[in-house]
Each structure stands twice: as structure tokens, then as C-alpha cells.
Amino acid sequence: MNSEVQRAAALLSAGELVAFPTETVYGLGADAANPAAVAKIFAAKGRPADHPLIVHIPDATHLERWAREIPPEAHLLAEKFWPGPLTLILKRHPDVPDAVTGGQDTVGLRIPNHPLALELLQAFNGGIAAPSANKFGRISPTTAQHVRDDLGDAVTLILDGGPCQVGIESTIVDLSGKRALLLRPGMLSAIDIGRVLGRVPLSPDDPLAPPTVRASGMLEAHYAPRTPLVLMPDDSLPIALRNAIVQKERIAVLATHPAPFEMPQVIWHVAPAEPTGYAHDLYANLRALDALGCDRIYVQKPLGQPWQAIYDRLKRAAAGSGAFV
Ligand code: TXA
Ligand code: MG
């Protein structure tokens, strides 16, 4: 076995933090059964202590250690999509530390689909609590360098698995109540999940949905760059850019097509025109555009169901950046 992975597993057992790659984003991991280790995650991220963490497990046989009253739907989804970018919210096992669940009666669980993460989970042979390895409220990391930039010395070891394949966080489905709820959209879509469950999970703001629990991915402001970010319908971009140029503002643009004409003061970045590629590059693109120090970032507003999860992240990035939308 990879000796870095062995060192990482030993550090986790000793109550230290380890950052590791998953197929979605990099995670900041701690031994989920050790409340003192879990407390270090909150300190490193600057995250409020009542925000629950996802527990990553090596295989589905570990479900019973962390959850109780597991419904058949959970086994169906686990069989179909694990390892993969899906987190299930289930009723917690009584032994799960409050530090992990934020004191809620539920726990988030997933098996990530990344060879290094799986090797680490098998070597550790337990649950690894891990949020995205970024400062609270900022853009999630999709490379080891992003983690270093954000958290630096706060992490003892960063396992480098290259850029994350999916690029945005897992889909979260709450199965702790009577009806499945989609707490956070992801690249694994509500339709994919609906095909397995026989009906699509409800959004928490659906009138039929019961009042929902907290999830920091659901906070309005999240995944935010420091530069004000504005979502723009494609046909409003030219006029908005013209106005900005008149105001002598420097603008960075993220769009799925090239600039229609040369514009001074505008740095135009072309993103992949299909959702899979767009999501893969999204956080690296936002970080790169943020680093330009422009007055604003204009992002072409995506349209349509396949873009749901991307639109969700962009909306929160806009809200978190403090720009007027
Ligand atoms: O793709 C991912 O899910 C990544 C990788 C590292 O696995 N993790 C991630 O973690 O995005 P984090 O902490 O940044 O986001 C986890 C989300 C939060 O919005 C949290 O509130 C929610 O999951 N969550 C965790 N446990 C929950 C629970 N018991 N009930 C409701 N929401 C929960
Ligand atoms: Mg996060």
C-alpha cells in the first residue's frame, strides 16, 4: 500500500487532520469517532460548531455503525450509486458524536469514488468526518494546491490525487423522514435518484416537504469569491459590459462561448459548454477569475435542468460575494 496513505491513516488514528481527494472536492478529514479530532476541523475551517459533517465510510457494511432504522431506499441508492457523489442523510446511531451531527438526530454518510480516498478509508477502517477543505463560506478546493492556499499549516498532511473529477459537492438526499428530500443538488441529478426510488426527491422548499434541518450548503451565501460576482443572462452581457467599460471598471467574464467582439478592460474566460466539463472546471475557474482582482465577475447564467447543481452553486457564490444581483 501507498506509504503516504498509511501515514495518513496513522495520523487520523492519532487524532490529527488529513486532507484527501474525493471525486467531488477535497475533504478535510478527522476520525469521526473522536470528538476532539472533529473539533479541529471546525477550528481549521472557521466553521460554526452546529453545522453537521458528512461521515465517509469504506463500504456499505459500515452503515449500521453510524445509522439506525435504515430504510430500504438507502440500500437501493447505495447499491446503485456508491462509491459515488451521493450523500445520504439517515437517522443517527446513538454512538455518533454530537460534534459530527451538530446535535441533530441524523447523520450524513457517503462512500467517495476516488482510489486514494478508498485506500485511505480501507487503511483507517472507520468513518472519516470530512467537510470540503476550504475556509467556511469560501470556494471548495478541487486540487491539493487549493487546499494549501486555503488552510496551509492547519492541515498535517494533504494527499494529492490530482484535480477532482466531478468538481462540485455531492448530491445530498435526506431519507430520515417520510419522503426523500433533495437537500443539495449535485451532478448526480434528482432525476437519476428518482429513477431508483420511483419518484423524484422533493426540494425542501416544496409545499409538500416537512420543515427541514440545517445544511451549510443550503445557506444562501456560500462558495463565494472575494470579487463581487453577478449572474447575467447571456443576452444582457453585451450591454452590461459596455456600461462597465464606460465606468472604467475591469470585468472578468465566465461564459460558454467566446467574446462576441474585442473589449478593453474585459478578461473573457470560456468554460466548457456542457455541464460535466463546466462543473469539473468551475471552482478552479472561479478561483482564477477571483485572483485577477477585477471590479466584478460576470457569469453567464446557465439555463435548464442539467445545469441545476451548477446554477445552485453560482447563485450562492453571487450571494456570498456581496454583489448586487
Ligand atoms: O462532496 C462532498 O459532499 C464533499 C466531499 C469532501 O465529500 N463534502 C462536503 O462537505 O461538501 P461540507 O461539509 O462542505 O458539506 C456537507 C453538507 C453541509 O451542507 C451539511 O450541513 C450537510 O452536508 N449535512 C451533513 N450532515 C447533515 C445532516 N445530518 N443533516 C443535514 N445536512 C447535513
Ligand atoms: Mg463545504
Side-chain angles (χ1 to χ4, degrees):
M1 180 193 295
N2 182 328
S3 65
E4 276 288 272
V5 169
Q6 254 162 351
R7 191 159 87 86
L11 283 167
L12 289 173
S13 301
E16 298 301 328
L17 300 183
V18 169
F20 63 98
T22 81
E23 79 281 36
T24 58
V25 301
Y26 274 70
L28 179 61
D31 178 356
N34 177 346
V38 171
K40 291 184 186 172
I41 293 179
F42 290 92
K45 275 187 68 98
R47 175 164 166 153
D50 61 349
H51 284 240
L53 302 174
I54 295 171
V55 178
H56 299 71
I57 53 176
D59 60 67
T61 64
H62 283 246
L63 269 174
E64 278 76 17
R65 289 209 214 164
W66 298 95
R68 66 175 206 277
E69 299 168 39
I70 302 167
E73 289 83 0
H75 293 293
L76 283 175
L77 290 176
E79 201 146 296
K80 177 83 183 169
F81 298 120
W82 280 353
L86 172 68
T87 296
L88 297 179
I89 306 295
L90 300 171
K91 288 187 181 152
R92 75 193 266 190
H93 188 283
D95 293 348
V96 183
D98 278 340
V100 170
T101 65
Q104 303 190 52
D105 191 37
T106 54
V107 63
L109 294 164
R110 92 174 185 103
I111 306 178
N113 188 16
H114 190 291
L116 267 184
L118 288 169
E119 227 186 297
L120 176 64
L121 283 160
Q122 273 142 23
F124 180 64
N125 194 29
I128 303 178
S132 50
N134 53 283
K135 288 277 187 194
F136 179 65
R138 307 233 70 97
I139 302 167
S140 296
T142 52
T143 67
Q145 188 58 46
H146 293 163
V147 181
R148 258 175 239 122
D149 292 346
D150 267 19
L151 299 176
D153 295 341
V155 206
T156 314
L157 176 70
I158 303 172
L159 290 177
D160 190 343
C164 300
Q165 188 209 330
V166 176
I168 66 173
E169 302 80 356
S170 60
T171 306
I172 303 183
V173 177
D174 184 349
L175 295 176
S176 68
K178 287 205 174 67
R179 275 207 67 171
L181 296 180
L182 182 73
L183 295 192
R184 180 172 70 184
M187 293 311 283
L188 184 68
S189 75
I191 294 167
D192 297 331
I193 288 156
R195 267 193 208 111
V196 175
L197 295 185
R199 57 178 174 178
V200 288
L202 287 177
S203 138
D205 51 23
D206 191 292
L208 292 174
T212 185
V213 288
R214 283 156 288 149
S216 72
M218 296 168 67
L219 292 179
E220 188 113 313
H222 215 77
Y223 316 107
R226 290 172 204 281
T227 315
L229 183 150
V230 183
L231 271 170
M232 283 269 163
D234 197 32
D235 55 6
S236 309
L237 259 175
I239 185 77
L241 286 171
R242 231 168 288 208
N243 288 339
I245 291 167
V246 172
Q247 305 287 320
K248 305 238 181 303
E249 288 184 330
R250 283 180 65 232
I251 306 288
V253 176
L254 186 64
T256 57
H257 57 81
F261 44 86
E262 258 308 297
M263 283 170 279
Q265 298 155 237
V266 174
I267 299 168
W268 191 287
H269 187 86
V270 180
E274 35 69 47
T276 308
Y278 191 101
H280 177 273
D281 294 356
L282 176 61
Y283 291 151
N285 281 340
L286 290 183
R287 281 170 186 262
L289 295 180
D290 200 17
L292 296 171
C294 288
D295 294 296
R296 254 177 254 271
I297 301 170
Y298 286 166
V299 180
Q300 178 193 346
K301 189 174 169 178
L303 291 174
Q305 204 286 327
W307 295 84
Q308 184 195 15
I310 291 164
Y311 179 54
D312 169 83
R313 303 306 188 277
L314 287 172
K315 244 182 2 195
R316 292 169 206 284
S321 74
F324 297 102
V325 188

